[in-house]
Amino acid sequence: QTRSPAAMSTASIAEALGEQRGGFDFELTKRNALFEAGGMKVPRATKTGTTIVGLCYKDGIVLGADTRSTQGSTVADKNCQKIHYIADNIYCCGAGTAADTEFTTALIASKIELHRMSTGKQPRVVTALTMLKRLLFRYQGHVGAALILGGVDCNGPSLYQVYPHGSTDYLPYVTMGSGSVNAMAMFETEYRDGMTKEEAMALVHKAVLSGITNDLGSGSNVDLCVMTKEGTQMHRNYDTPNPRKFRYPGGFTYKRGTTPTLSTSFTPVRKLVDVIPGGAMEVDS
């Protein structure tokens, strides 16, 4: 197999510089599969469990989310934030793999800011949508980010649903995540056109509570984000329906030796590595 001089020079330059391409890296996928085939238990990814919702009312957008993230059957975080910043007028709810939703939205937020600085204009929601769907489609669903994108721009309020493989929907109300069916039941029962801000916030709150109550992957608190042409209001921990009712005064203290030590061992570093003596380091005068 022969290469042209131009191709050879480009390949050699890239190899010499150790070029790193942007985006996600799946180089360790085969290695992890071999470990798993050999009987090694591969760590599970932290997932958001999640009930995320969005609703478009007459003057803006209301986004809502619970705050529980899970790792298998274990609650990893009771108060994580699932409503992510994209721009001052655009926010995004994320469900799926926690790391994927965090880094995907952070990457798009960076691109949107560069776009805003380049054009000198407020970014449009559809611009962020196009960037998101192109990024997710490139990885064919392997980036586990299910998103609800909402914002208010020169065209008014817009609400979109973005699937992990890159397809999108434009809808008046949206639910995603493991508790989406419960939240959708609330929307389909009580949603109507021309809702006020207070009515929209109350319905989104009720929809997220429905997911928290009926879905084991969703829980803890309710976060809301309200976007209008005047600005954005973030309501962190808008409702805490499951507070810890009892805390031991002063906390818990344990005496030394409460947990038994089964065995102790010490291995010097010199037995683990080969120490090669060297000469004195040269120092410029």
Side-chain angles (χ1 to χ4, degrees):
Q1 188 177 6
T2 60
R3 291 183 179 180
S4 65
M8 291 177 64
S9 60
T10 303
S12 60
I13 291 173
E15 185 176 352
L17 296 177
E19 181 183 10
Q20 295 183 356
R21 301 182 183 276
F24 292 85
D25 187 359
F26 294 94
E27 288 185 357
L28 300 180
T29 303
K30 292 183 178 179
R31 184 207 67 175
N32 295 342
L34 287 173
F35 285 161
E36 194 170 7
M40 178 180 174
K41 187 175 181 181
V42 179
R44 293 184 177 182
T46 300
K47 298 189 177 181
T48 56
T50 303
T51 299
I52 56 173
V53 304
L55 184 148
C56 182
Y57 69 100
K58 66 177 182 178
D59 295 323
I61 298 290
V62 180
L63 300 178
D66 71 305
T67 61
R68 172 182 289 180
S69 67
T70 58
Q71 194 167 5
S73 58
T74 304
V75 177
D77 189 351
K78 295 181 181 179
N79 198 29
C80 71
Q81 189 166 357
K82 302 179 184 179
I83 304 178
H84 307 284
Y85 174 89
I86 301 293
D88 291 339
N89 61 315
I90 307 170
Y91 277 76
C92 182
C93 297
T97 305
D100 289 350
T101 59
E102 287 277 351
F103 284 96
T104 298
T105 52
L107 179 61
I108 298 304
S110 175
K111 290 185 176 182
I112 283 290
E113 177 62 15
L114 291 174
H115 178 76
R116 184 195 66 79
M117 295 171 65
S118 175
T119 60
K121 298 179 181 180
Q122 183 188 61
R124 298 188 181 187
V125 183
V126 71
T127 304
L129 175 74
T130 303
M131 292 181 179
L132 278 171
K133 66 195 299 183
R134 285 179 177 175
L135 175 67
L136 293 175
F137 181 76
R138 187 191 313 163
Y139 293 100
Q140 294 291 298
H142 291 289
V143 174
L147 308 170
I148 295 177
L149 181 71
V152 180
D153 54 22
C154 58
N155 295 318
S158 303
L159 184 66
Y160 296 93
Q161 183 175 24
V162 186
Y163 292 93
H165 51 268
S167 67
T168 59
D169 291 324
Y170 176 66
L171 299 166
Y173 56 86
V174 180
T175 67
M176 294 192 86
S178 55
S180 61
V181 176
N182 308 294
M184 183 58 74
M186 296 295 102
F187 279 165
E188 291 184 342
T189 303
E190 301 187 18
Y191 177 83
R192 68 178 191 280
D193 290 334
M195 297 181 73
T196 64
K197 174 183 173 181
E198 291 73 22
E199 291 172 337
M201 290 180 66
L203 181 53
V204 168
H205 176 217
K206 189 173 182 179
V208 177
L209 274 182
S210 178
I212 290 174
T213 305
N214 297 286
D215 173 45
L216 292 177
S218 308
S220 297
N221 309 321
V222 179
D223 287 348
L224 295 184
C225 179
V226 182
M227 289 168 283
T228 63
K229 61 182 180 181
E230 285 78 24
T232 300
Q233 292 179 321
M234 188 71 185
H235 300 274
R236 180 77 167 132
N237 292 340
Y238 178 79
D239 185 19
T240 54
N242 301 301
R244 186 171 179 177
K245 296 184 179 180
F246 175 77
R247 290 183 181 273
Y248 189 77
F252 295 94
T253 57
Y254 301 95
K255 295 181 180 180
R256 184 183 293 274
T258 300
T259 302
T261 303
L262 300 179
S263 63
T264 59
S265 63
F266 172 73
T267 304
V269 176
R270 285 183 174 274
K271 291 186 177 181
L272 300 176
V273 297
D274 294 328
V275 180
I276 302 174
M281 183 176 65
E282 296 181 3
V283 180
D284 295 335
S285 58

